[in-house]
Amino acid sequence: MPSSDRRARHSVDELTKQLLVAAYSEQDPSWIDEQAATAGERIAQAKQAQPSTAAGARRLSDAVVNRADPRRRTAGQRFVFGIALATVAVVAAVLGVTERQWVAEAAISAVGIGGVLAGVAVTSVGTIVSYVRSRRERVLSCRVRIDAPFGVDIGETVRLEGERHAVADPGVVVVRIKNTGGTAIDPEDYVSPLSLHFPGRTVVSVDATEFEPAELQKVLAGLPEFTIEQDRVKLPMIGLRPEHSFKLIIVLSGTKPGSKHQVVVEGGLREGRITTREGKQKVRPETLVWGGLTAICAGAFAVVLLLNNVTPFTRLPEGVSCVPGSLTAEGSSAFGRAATELAGTYHAYCPETSIRIRTPGSREGLERLADAAEDGTRHLAFSDGRFDEPQFRELVAQPLAIVPFTFVASDDVPVGSLSLRDARRIFTGAARVWSDITANPRDTGEIRVVGRSTDSGTRRTLERHVLSSTPGTQVGQVDPTSDSCRDRRPGVPPGLPIVCEQGSTGDLIDRVANLDGAIGYADVSDADQATGVKKINLDGYGATLGDIRDHDYPFWTVEYVYSHGRPEPGSLPEVFTTFLLARESSAVMEGFQYYSCVGEMGALCALR
């Protein structure tokens, strides 16, 4: 067959007849037609995924031979990956059995719920991304449909038209080339060209046929010719849209009947693969893994939700017992966020109990508790520091945690640290402009003092332990001169500082953040969560537990939980107070930089 005609389209029947006529020119046409019909039946069987009945025919392996694909794992890598997964499963099972109490406690906490929910989200996204990527992957299928010697009974050599030499042990290979992926394959997507290697045999000719769609024949005709290298056929880098395909019919010498012959598919695609599998791969293993992880996380999330709506079947942690009913705990706004978290944790263990948290301020919380004498079994109060006034003589205080405070200032304030003397000057009204503190005449901005009201336990801590130089005494914060914290009230002399008061820690921080030259004070936890303010050190030390213990940092107090008289054993106020001193609560409070008055912290709490 002339090389110039190699791209001409032929049907398989026509090619078979041409080969038979060239080999057996002396035979009559009826014999040629009979042999061609037999070959057609074999090809039809191959199209139905049945092996050819010709001698030497064989089934091809479905293994992918894509030497340019870097993502394929070796058997050793798969073994290591399997061992790692098995190890994780065994460790999880052991922990689930030996540490089931800890697992249950962690699961019903806010962190546990958030972690499992995050796991569901991550694995769901992984499943979707893996599925979408598999649908969009470039996949070029190169499936060998027929590999068999010519089924002739006379002689073992043929002479093809246009060939000088006879073809010894002739055979034919039919290959289907198809884009079975979800993305078009362009010529530049080839890492290395698609090649068919026939070890031990010699390629005689190659033809392209059965184009789908028919326009693909014109595309192929405009590309360089197939390259024949003894036992290898190298295809040009042809672009294929999804589902586009064509067939190759390759005539070989050396296809001996009864022998097994190999066809090696070589080549590589960028962000894709070349495969010998037929049809599309339904679901990739990676997608199945992600889907399995999603199912596991979703199941775990369902169990966590169940545990948060029914009493856990495991034993409650030490210090936690459940009493049905409702309880109101109110007072300190500085301790409000921590109190809310603690109430939520207790409710997670005891769903039939409702703990309501209100934060009107330490004094007001104590006053409401004192007024609730007839219903004292349903009330508690939180206070920053002790209130030993006569009106609270019926109340019993239980030290709960160390609460550090810090000064907070707007970002434009020209200091990052204050001496104790300067802090007293600012909050007693002795300093009016920032140059009074920095001694820099260019710092002419007015000092705007934002303080808490007299009901605040935080303010009492400032007056007792920062503004006062004598233990046991109290020096009052400067009286307010402004309602807006921006300008003085009408009639206030301009020589007085601008001072205003806020009813809660949150309001104070917001006001400081939005005023030039403003300074106030708050607990460390709320200050760290805020934006637009900076913390101001005192005598070079910060509001840390280490500086409190080792350097006598003064601006801190003890948070107390107050009850109306001593709670009755087994009552809800008694079991909730016990819970507040349990290990679970200590961990929650440390997250807010409060330190429980248990163990070695008890001696430090006793100092206040």
Side-chain angles (χ1 to χ4, degrees), residues 369 373 376-377 379-380 392-397 561-568 573:
L369 177 61
T377 59
H379 284 78
L380 291 174
F392 305 132
R393 62 179 178 272
E394 298 295 328
L395 306 183
V396 176
V561 56
Y562 277 82
S563 60
H564 200 287
R566 295 217 171 261
E568 182 180 346

Side-chain angles (χ1 to χ4, degrees), residues 409-410 412-415 426 429-438 440-450 481-482 484-489 492-499 511-512 514-520:
S410 56
D412 69 310
V413 166
V415 297
I426 290 173
R432 187 182 65 82
V433 293
W434 281 107
S435 60
D436 294 337
I437 302 300
T438 65
N440 186 343
R442 289 181 296 181
D443 296 329
T444 58
E446 293 207 61
I447 298 175
R448 290 181 168 88
V449 176
V450 184
T481 60
S482 173
S484 66
C485 300
R486 193 177 299 276
D487 303 304
R488 295 175 181 83
R489 295 169 181 166
V492 173
L496 294 179
I498 298 175
V499 182
R511 190 56 60 92
V512 170
N514 291 286
L515 286 172
D516 293 335
I519 187 170

Side-chain angles (χ1 to χ4, degrees), residues 42 62 136 152 230 240 243 279 337 427:
R42 292 171 180 168
D62 285 336
R136 295 180 176 178
V152 295
Q230 187 69 23
L240 292 175
E243 301 300 321
R337 290 195 303 118
F427 287 94

Side-chain angles (χ1 to χ4, degrees), residues 583-606:
R583 182 181 64 180
E584 305 300 312
S585 299
S586 297
V588 171
M589 288 189 289
E590 283 190 17
F592 292 91
Q593 300 185 59
Y594 306 144
Y595 307 98
S596 183
C597 293
V598 295
E600 63 178 11
M601 291 293 104
L604 189 58
C605 292

Side-chain angles (χ1 to χ4, degrees), residues 5-182:
D5 295 334
R6 286 177 182 171
R7 297 230 178 138
R9 181 174 178 177
H10 300 286
S11 70
V12 175
D13 289 342
E14 292 172 347
L15 178 64
T16 303
K17 288 181 180 180
Q18 291 178 10
L19 292 173
L20 289 172
V21 169
Y24 307 103
S25 57
E26 72 276 12
Q27 297 290 338
D28 59 62
S30 62
W31 186 88
I32 296 293
D33 291 341
E34 181 181 350
Q35 296 299 317
T38 302
E41 291 177 0
R42 292 171 180 168
I43 293 173
Q45 290 177 344
K47 288 183 177 180
Q48 299 173 4
Q50 297 179 2
S52 173
T53 57
R58 63 185 181 86
R59 285 188 177 274
L60 294 171
S61 170
D62 285 336
V64 178
V65 183
N66 187 356
R67 296 173 182 171
D69 188 356
R71 295 176 301 165
R72 297 193 55 78
R73 298 186 179 94
T74 64
Q77 289 174 324
R78 291 195 294 269
F79 176 76
V80 172
F81 184 68
I83 291 296
L85 285 179
T87 302
V88 171
V90 170
V91 171
V94 171
L95 288 176
V97 174
T98 61
E99 299 293 335
R100 57 184 179 276
Q101 178 177 323
W102 176 83
V103 172
E105 293 171 4
I108 63 176
S109 67
V111 175
I113 296 174
V116 176
L117 186 59
V120 172
V122 170
T123 54
S124 298
V125 170
T127 302
I128 294 171
V129 170
S130 178
Y131 179 79
V132 171
R133 288 183 63 185
S134 67
R135 296 299 91 188
R136 295 180 176 178
E137 185 181 21
R138 295 182 178 89
V139 181
L140 183 62
S141 173
C142 182
R143 182 167 175 78
V144 180
R145 305 302 302 271
I146 299 173
D147 183 4
F150 284 108
V152 295
D153 298 325
I154 304 175
E156 294 185 350
T157 63
V158 296
R159 184 182 300 276
L160 300 181
E161 183 180 352
E163 295 289 342
R164 296 180 179 180
H165 304 288
V167 178
D169 298 318
V172 64
V173 172
V174 178
V175 181
R176 182 76 167 182
I177 310 295
K178 185 175 183 179
N179 182 349
T180 58

Side-chain angles (χ1 to χ4, degrees), residues 344-357:
T345 302
Y346 184 80
H347 178 72
Y349 287 116
C350 307
E352 296 181 359
T353 303
S354 174
I355 309 293
R356 182 187 181 194
I357 303 296

